[in-house]
Amino acid sequence: MRIAVVGGGITGLVAAYRLRTLLGPRADIVVIDRADRVGGILYTGELAGEPLDLGAEAFIGRRPEVPGLVRELGLEPQLVVPAGLRPLLWSEGSAHPMPERTLMGIPADAESMRGLVDADTLARIDAESGRPMAWYPDADIDVYSLIADRFGAQVAERSVDPLLGGVYAGSSRSIGVRAALPTLAAALDDGAPSLTHAVAAAMPPPSDAPVFGGIRDGYQVLLEALSARSDAKFVTATPATRLARGVRGWVVDPVGAVDAVVLATPAPVTARLLRTLAPAASAAAAGIELSSSALVALALPRDTALPQHSGILVATGESLRAKAFTLSSRKWAHLAERETAAVRVSFGKFGDDSTLSWSDADLIAAATEDLATVTGATIEPIGALVQRWPGGLAQYAPGHTDRVAEIESAVANLDGLAVAGAYLHGVGVPACVASGTAAAHRIAGGQG
């Protein structure tokens, strides 16, 4: 039995590992990836002689997928949690505390926005619950349209955009309510009389559990363990150029005949490979756009006067070039023990790929200058890394859930084929782990 996993990111590696555990040594598993390494947008570089993640650096700790997988692989000592500091918001040229009691930056009351928005906006939030609410179940609009209409543009641009930018490298204008904020959409569908009521209903219950988790020595530890335990053959620097029905299964060029296929590829690649096999799925996947970004990691003298916060998120409309700063040595206690301080500076949002064309020197200079602006500290890097992520994150635009339903429905009757990836049910690592696991079970369930 030969199975091709097309795409060697975290989703594909999990699928390969799960297929091995489900099917045992009799399975011949081949992982093919167009890049010269596996891991996709998870990548651990070396800064000042120490490992540092240059893609995702955390996962939602309240979801079970990643901690469960890490423990299953015997890597539990690698699990770490943040130090407990909160981020700042940079808006109107100054730093503000991150508002509390919000859902992805959307407030449940006016008080949480005090100091971040003007008096007129505070009054608008306070009065919102008394205004008639027009919401149609199963409708979907962009987050900005909903928030700006009910609470005002300042809430969308100063509170919501920084958080959505961190998750999707997009903004409230490019992200749909239903896919990005499913609990809020559910509360509105259930008849919440106002956005204020809907946010209150959609808030997760209070918990002392850490919101995020991480891996001490970087995601490379997890990627290497999955690769080894999958016992797969890896074909890198080789894109899949064609997917077709074979005599008794499938044909994936250039690896040839296989019995089953997992497509753990970005949406545009999935669309191309499914164009003749499942035109409806292909069209839906082609409608999912991608955003690009760049990251600069700076190594600073350990005594650099960085704020006692986990990071700084930047509101829409600011003059800074960077969109976010992760004060890694403040955020993670294990990084604080190192000889240098580490800061990650992020650039780029959906619709603006310009930073990808900047030289490394220009990106490092912009990161250094912007970090000095938001911290007020003297920033003198003693080391720096640049990582570009073209087409790194799917945009969950309005109508995204319908597109995903169309994709999954259109491939449901194609035996021996499963689709998986960050463009389906979540861009975070836990969602990717779940997606790869589901794909493996679909394939294994059809093998008898």
Side-chain angles (χ1 to χ4, degrees):
M1 180 187 311
R2 192 170 191 237
I3 303 169
V5 177
V6 185
I10 182 65
T11 304
L13 293 181
V14 168
Y17 166 66
R18 291 294 180 207
L19 285 165
R20 179 63 66 202
T21 62
L22 291 166
L23 299 176
R26 64 193 176 102
D28 177 12
I29 301 169
V30 181
V31 177
I32 179 172
D33 198 281
R34 60 185 176 180
D36 58 5
R37 63 170 183 84
V38 296
I41 61 170
L42 298 186
Y43 175 59
T44 306
E46 186 176 287
L47 181 69
E50 299 278 6
L52 187 74
D53 280 318
L54 303 180
E57 49 100 43
F59 55 84
I60 298 296
R62 293 175 183 174
R63 286 189 60 154
E65 291 90 348
V66 177
L69 179 63
V70 169
R71 294 186 179 102
E72 184 180 332
L73 293 167
L75 301 173
E76 186 168 6
Q78 285 283 335
L79 289 172
V80 292
V81 297
L85 300 176
R86 289 178 61 80
L88 295 167
L89 283 179
W90 184 264
S91 177
E92 296 291 285
S94 63
H96 303 261
M98 174 70 74
E100 298 185 3
R101 304 185 309 282
T102 73
L103 180 72
M104 193 62 80
I106 308 171
D109 57 62
E111 190 60 32
S112 62
M113 293 287 108
R114 189 171 299 279
L116 185 62
V117 300
D118 62 24
D120 288 345
T121 301
L122 289 175
R124 183 169 182 165
I125 299 168
D126 197 47
E128 189 271 339
S129 61
R131 293 172 52 206
M133 180 81 190
W135 176 265
Y136 302 96
D138 297 328
D140 198 11
I141 60 174
D142 63 272
V143 175
Y144 180 87
S145 294
L146 175 64
I147 305 307
D149 174 60
R150 303 302 299 183
F151 288 157
Q154 289 184 10
V155 175
E157 294 173 349
R158 299 181 187 181
S159 184
V160 180
D161 275 355
L163 291 167
L164 284 177
V167 176
Y168 297 99
S171 74
S172 58
R173 289 174 170 84
S174 65
I175 303 298
V177 172
R178 197 163 292 281
L181 299 163
T183 58
L184 180 65
L188 292 168
D189 288 346
D190 287 343
S194 68
L195 183 57
T196 300
H197 284 86
V199 172
M203 288 274 208
S207 173
D208 293 331
V211 176
F212 298 106
I215 298 179
R216 176 180 295 274
D217 294 323
Y219 271 114
Q220 191 64 33
V221 172
L222 178 58
L223 300 176
E224 290 174 353
L226 288 169
S227 299
R229 293 281 288 274
S230 73
D231 195 25
K233 297 179 179 69
F234 290 90
V235 181
T236 55
T238 306
T241 55
R242 183 176 70 106
L243 173 65
R245 286 284 202 180
V247 175
R248 290 183 297 176
W250 298 89
V251 176
V252 180
D253 289 342
V255 298
V258 295
D259 298 292
V261 180
V262 174
L263 287 183
T265 45
V269 179
T270 303
R272 175 173 56 80
L273 293 174
L274 291 178
R275 186 172 296 131
T276 58
L277 289 165
S282 175
I288 298 173
E289 298 185 273
L290 306 180
S291 64
S292 299
S293 60
L295 184 135
V296 177
L298 300 176
L300 307 175
R302 188 174 181 176
D303 61 356
T304 302
L306 299 173
Q308 290 295 326
H309 292 272
S310 61
I312 304 163
L313 305 178
V314 180
T316 294
E318 298 300 302
S319 60
L320 299 174
R321 291 150 294 184
K323 68 173 184 180
F325 309 82
T326 303
L327 307 179
S328 302
S329 297
R330 298 282 192 250
K331 183 174 182 178
W332 302 100
H334 68 284
L335 297 183
E337 298 170 356
R338 296 181 176 178
E339 293 301 313
T340 58
V343 175
R344 292 163 29 115
V345 185
S346 300
F347 297 83
K349 284 187 177 182
F350 178 67
D352 181 9
D353 295 343
S354 61
T355 52
L356 267 69
S357 65
W358 294 6
S359 69
D360 285 6
D362 286 345
L363 281 167
I364 292 167
T368 301
E369 292 163 11
D370 283 0
L371 182 61
T373 296
V374 299
T375 62
T378 299
I379 304 299
E380 298 176 336
I382 55 180
L385 293 173
V386 174
Q387 179 66 45
R388 294 170 180 80
W389 296 113
L393 284 174
Q395 291 299 287
Y396 280 33
H400 182 80
T401 54
D402 292 336
R403 292 186 188 91
V404 170
E406 178 67 33
I407 294 166
E408 294 180 331
S409 173
V411 302
N413 293 324
L414 296 176
D415 293 337
L417 175 71
V419 295
Y423 67 93
L424 293 171
H425 299 289
V427 298
V429 177
C432 291
V433 172
S435 184
T437 298
H441 279 277
R442 172 172 162 82
I443 296 300
Q447 295 303 307

